[in-house]
Structure formats: structure tokens, C-alpha cells
Amino acid sequence: MSSLEDLYREVILDHYRSPRNRGELPIPPAIKSEGKNPVCGDELTLYLEIDGDTVNDVKITGSGCSISMASASMMTAAIKGKSVDFARDLIVEFKDLMTAHESHLESEEENHEHPRSENLGELDSLTGVVKFPVRIKCATLAFNTLASGLDSAGGQAAETATTE
Ligand code: ZN
């Protein structure tokens, strides 16, 4: 009923209908990471081209429900051209969003007071998904796929960083 929910719906539909960064990248230099959400039947293949500390390019193929596809589209738009650290932070912040609100479902007012991260941008529109726990995995699929992609891409770099 609220206009905020209408706005959120618009943003999600826009990304579902006109997904950003669809396609594939040549491997190498890109690396490929696959993710599945069997509960809903969502499937994603993520291509990441990482140059040093920067996510140079990102593409996605796959199919699934509007939530999973919109989340994936927003995720690619959010991390493209950004640092690997930013991408990792975004994974944490988005998962926080998907769990933090769960505990506040009883109180709409607390929802409004929940501090929003500017990093999330349009991803914030997926907040409403928390009301439908079975769909949370649809929303987090792209981020789990991103996490495994970053792990396989930056395994060596991360190792060096932690031992320093
Ligand atoms: Zn789904």
C-alpha cells in the first residue's frame, strides 16, 4: 500500500525486465562462478574480470524468478568498476539487510530506523523480501555466487594480505 513499496516494486521490475550486465566474459582473464537456488529453481553464472584490486568487468547469465534476477542485476551494477574490498563489504551489508530486518518484522517503526548503507543503493529495494523468508535465498543467490567468485579469483591475494 505504501508508496515506498510501490517504488521498490518499480525498481525490482525494472532490473528484472532490463537486466544490467547480461552476457559472458572470456575466460581468462575472467573467472566463472556458478550459483543455484534449488528451492526456487534460480540459476546464475557470474563472470568476474578482476584487475589487481578492481572489479574491471562483471557479467551474468542465468534464469530464475524476478527477485533473483533483479538482485543479480543490481549487484553487478553496484560492483562494476569498484574495488574488490567494496564488493566484499557489499556482500556483508546485503546479508545483514536480509537478516537484520527479519528480527524487526514485528515493528515497522524499527524498520525505518534501521540504518541504511549508502553502498547498497538500489539493493535496498529488496528489503521487502525479508517478509517472505523462502525468497531470501533468491535475493542472496547473486551475493553467494559473487562471494565464491571472489574467493577463487583472489585466493592468493587474500592469503598474502592476511599473512602480512
Ligand atoms: Zn527465486
Side-chain angles (χ1 to χ4, degrees):
M1 286 295 279
S2 79
S3 57
L4 191 63
E5 280 183 17
D6 290 341
L7 174 70
Y8 282 173
R9 203 170 292 126
E10 282 298 309
V11 174
I12 292 167
L13 281 177
D14 176 51
H15 276 270
Y16 178 57
R17 288 176 183 149
S18 317
R20 321 301 196 258
N21 304 303
R22 283 294 284 195
E24 300 180 9
L25 291 171
I27 302 167
I31 56 110
K32 190 167 101 169
S33 156
E34 292 176 332
K36 280 183 186 171
N37 173 20
V39 178
C40 183
D42 309 316
E43 289 187 8
L44 279 183
T45 304
L46 176 72
Y47 297 83
L48 282 172
E49 192 192 307
I50 293 169
D51 182 15
D53 293 329
T54 306
V55 181
N56 252 359
D57 207 353
V58 51
K59 297 262 188 212
I60 264 185
T61 62
S63 60
C65 68
S66 58
I67 297 296
S68 65
M69 294 296 112
S71 169
S73 172
M74 290 181 211
M75 182 277 286
T76 62
I79 67 164
K80 190 173 174 178
K82 299 279 175 34
S83 70
V84 170
D85 284 347
F86 176 91
R88 287 195 180 278
D89 284 349
L90 196 68
I91 295 168
V92 173
E93 286 179 16
F94 187 74
K95 291 198 168 185
D96 277 355
L97 184 74
M98 286 294 122
T99 51
H101 280 261
E102 210 171 16
S103 55
H104 292 304
L105 274 184
E106 302 304 311
S107 166
E108 285 292 322
E109 286 191 16
E110 278 190 70
N111 274 344
H112 289 295
E113 285 167 17
H114 186 76
R116 298 274 165 85
S117 163
E118 288 178 15
N119 290 344
L120 289 169
E122 289 182 322
L123 285 160
D124 201 37
S125 66
L126 290 163
T127 304
V129 170
V130 181
K131 289 177 190 164
F132 310 95
V134 73
R135 309 305 297 278
I136 292 174
K137 283 186 176 165
C138 303
T140 55
L141 175 64
F143 289 85
N144 291 331
T145 312
L146 172 64
S148 65
L150 289 175
D151 283 348
S152 53
Q156 219 176 343
E159 225 168 87
T160 313
T162 49
T163 52
E164 268 171 7

mmCIF file of all heavy atoms in Angstrom, residues 37 39-42 64-69 134-135 137-139 141, ligand 1:
data_model
loop_
_atom_site.group_PDB
_atom_site.id
_atom_site.type_symbol
_atom_site.label_atom_id
_atom_site.label_comp_id
_atom_site.label_asym_id
_atom_site.label_seq_id
_atom_site.Cartn_x
_atom_site.Cartn_y
_atom_site.Cartn_z
ATOM 1 N N ASN A 37 19.838 -21.939 -6.666
ATOM 2 C CA ASN A 37 18.897 -21.962 -5.556
ATOM 3 C C ASN A 37 17.823 -22.982 -5.913
ATOM 4 O O ASN A 37 16.820 -22.653 -6.543
ATOM 5 C CB ASN A 37 18.288 -20.567 -5.352
ATOM 6 C CG ASN A 37 17.194 -20.573 -4.321
ATOM 7 O OD1 ASN A 37 17.101 -21.478 -3.493
ATOM 8 N ND2 ASN A 37 16.327 -19.579 -4.389
ATOM 9 N N VAL A 39 15.555 -24.482 -4.359
ATOM 10 C CA VAL A 39 14.215 -24.302 -3.797
ATOM 11 C C VAL A 39 13.296 -23.598 -4.801
ATOM 12 O O VAL A 39 12.120 -23.927 -4.936
ATOM 13 C CB VAL A 39 14.289 -23.486 -2.482
ATOM 14 C CG1 VAL A 39 12.904 -23.244 -1.915
ATOM 15 C CG2 VAL A 39 15.167 -24.188 -1.470
ATOM 16 N N CYS A 40 13.882 -22.630 -5.515
ATOM 17 C CA CYS A 40 13.097 -21.812 -6.434
ATOM 18 C C CYS A 40 13.416 -22.132 -7.892
ATOM 19 O O CYS A 40 12.632 -21.822 -8.785
ATOM 20 C CB CYS A 40 13.377 -20.343 -6.132
ATOM 21 S SG CYS A 40 12.443 -19.174 -7.100
ATOM 22 N N GLY A 41 14.578 -22.759 -8.127
ATOM 23 C CA GLY A 41 14.996 -23.049 -9.494
ATOM 24 C C GLY A 41 15.804 -21.946 -10.130
ATOM 25 O O GLY A 41 15.967 -21.915 -11.349
ATOM 26 N N ASP A 42 16.312 -21.036 -9.314
ATOM 27 C CA ASP A 42 17.144 -19.940 -9.835
ATOM 28 C C ASP A 42 18.552 -20.457 -10.131
ATOM 29 O O ASP A 42 19.132 -21.189 -9.330
ATOM 30 C CB ASP A 42 17.262 -18.806 -8.809
ATOM 31 C CG ASP A 42 15.910 -18.361 -8.286
ATOM 32 O OD1 ASP A 42 14.992 -18.215 -9.106
ATOM 33 O OD2 ASP A 42 15.783 -18.166 -7.072
ATOM 34 N N GLY A 64 15.763 -17.318 -13.674
ATOM 35 C CA GLY A 64 15.134 -17.531 -12.377
ATOM 36 C C GLY A 64 14.010 -16.544 -12.156
ATOM 37 O O GLY A 64 13.580 -15.855 -13.084
ATOM 38 N N CYS A 65 13.595 -16.447 -10.918
ATOM 39 C CA CYS A 65 12.468 -15.586 -10.590
ATOM 40 C C CYS A 65 12.878 -14.113 -10.618
ATOM 41 O O CYS A 65 14.060 -13.783 -10.710
ATOM 42 C CB CYS A 65 11.923 -15.950 -9.212
ATOM 43 S SG CYS A 65 13.068 -15.548 -7.881
ATOM 44 N N SER A 66 11.909 -13.243 -10.530
ATOM 45 C CA SER A 66 12.180 -11.809 -10.625
ATOM 46 C C SER A 66 13.099 -11.327 -9.511
ATOM 47 O O SER A 66 13.966 -10.481 -9.735
ATOM 48 C CB SER A 66 10.869 -11.021 -10.597
ATOM 49 O OG SER A 66 10.152 -11.316 -9.424
ATOM 50 N N ILE A 67 12.953 -11.882 -8.315
ATOM 51 C CA ILE A 67 13.789 -11.447 -7.192
ATOM 52 C C ILE A 67 15.254 -11.810 -7.445
ATOM 53 O O ILE A 67 16.151 -10.988 -7.287
ATOM 54 C CB ILE A 67 13.310 -12.097 -5.867
ATOM 55 C CG1 ILE A 67 11.892 -11.664 -5.517
ATOM 56 C CG2 ILE A 67 14.264 -11.758 -4.720
ATOM 57 C CD1 ILE A 67 11.721 -10.195 -5.242
ATOM 58 N N SER A 68 15.503 -13.050 -7.863
ATOM 59 C CA SER A 68 16.888 -13.479 -8.066
ATOM 60 C C SER A 68 17.534 -12.718 -9.219
ATOM 61 O O SER A 68 18.707 -12.329 -9.131
ATOM 62 C CB SER A 68 16.967 -14.989 -8.312
ATOM 63 O OG SER A 68 16.327 -15.340 -9.527
ATOM 64 N N MET A 69 16.787 -12.497 -10.284
ATOM 65 C CA MET A 69 17.343 -11.815 -11.448
ATOM 66 C C MET A 69 17.548 -10.319 -11.178
ATOM 67 O O MET A 69 18.537 -9.736 -11.604
ATOM 68 C CB MET A 69 16.432 -12.018 -12.672
ATOM 69 C CG MET A 69 16.358 -13.457 -13.154
ATOM 70 S SD MET A 69 17.961 -14.115 -13.764
ATOM 71 C CE MET A 69 18.340 -15.319 -12.518
ATOM 72 N N VAL A 134 11.129 -17.575 2.350
ATOM 73 C CA VAL A 134 11.503 -18.536 1.310
ATOM 74 C C VAL A 134 12.177 -17.839 0.124
ATOM 75 O O VAL A 134 12.930 -18.457 -0.625
ATOM 76 C CB VAL A 134 10.268 -19.365 0.855
ATOM 77 C CG1 VAL A 134 9.328 -18.531 0.008
ATOM 78 C CG2 VAL A 134 10.699 -20.614 0.118
ATOM 79 N N ARG A 135 11.932 -16.518 0.007
ATOM 80 C CA ARG A 135 12.530 -15.780 -1.116
ATOM 81 C C ARG A 135 13.891 -15.160 -0.786
ATOM 82 O O ARG A 135 14.552 -14.632 -1.674
ATOM 83 C CB ARG A 135 11.598 -14.648 -1.573
ATOM 84 C CG ARG A 135 10.172 -15.072 -1.838
ATOM 85 C CD ARG A 135 10.078 -16.203 -2.839
ATOM 86 N NE ARG A 135 10.583 -15.865 -4.177
ATOM 87 C CZ ARG A 135 9.879 -15.217 -5.102
ATOM 88 N NH1 ARG A 135 8.657 -14.811 -4.830
ATOM 89 N NH2 ARG A 135 10.374 -14.979 -6.284
ATOM 90 N N LYS A 137 16.616 -16.572 -0.121
ATOM 91 C CA LYS A 137 17.673 -17.251 -0.868
ATOM 92 C C LYS A 137 17.703 -16.813 -2.328
ATOM 93 O O LYS A 137 18.749 -16.877 -2.975
ATOM 94 C CB LYS A 137 17.505 -18.770 -0.772
ATOM 95 C CG LYS A 137 17.971 -19.309 0.556
ATOM 96 C CD LYS A 137 17.935 -20.817 0.611
ATOM 97 C CE LYS A 137 18.497 -21.309 1.929
ATOM 98 N NZ LYS A 137 18.162 -22.710 2.186
ATOM 99 N N CYS A 138 16.570 -16.381 -2.843
ATOM 100 C CA CYS A 138 16.543 -15.836 -4.205
ATOM 101 C C CYS A 138 17.357 -14.547 -4.252
ATOM 102 O O CYS A 138 18.125 -14.314 -5.169
ATOM 103 C CB CYS A 138 15.112 -15.529 -4.636
ATOM 104 S SG CYS A 138 13.987 -16.937 -4.563
ATOM 105 N N ALA A 139 17.172 -13.716 -3.229
ATOM 106 C CA ALA A 139 17.833 -12.409 -3.189
ATOM 107 C C ALA A 139 19.321 -12.535 -2.914
ATOM 108 O O ALA A 139 20.124 -11.758 -3.425
ATOM 109 C CB ALA A 139 17.177 -11.525 -2.130
ATOM 110 N N LEU A 141 21.244 -15.168 -3.637
ATOM 111 C CA LEU A 141 21.941 -16.057 -4.580
ATOM 112 C C LEU A 141 23.090 -15.352 -5.295
ATOM 113 O O LEU A 141 24.207 -15.867 -5.366
ATOM 114 C CB LEU A 141 20.945 -16.628 -5.609
ATOM 115 C CG LEU A 141 21.558 -17.469 -6.735
ATOM 116 C CD1 LEU A 141 22.216 -18.730 -6.184
ATOM 117 C CD2 LEU A 141 20.499 -17.839 -7.778
HETATM 118 ZN ZN ZN B 1 13.785 -17.324 -6.839
#
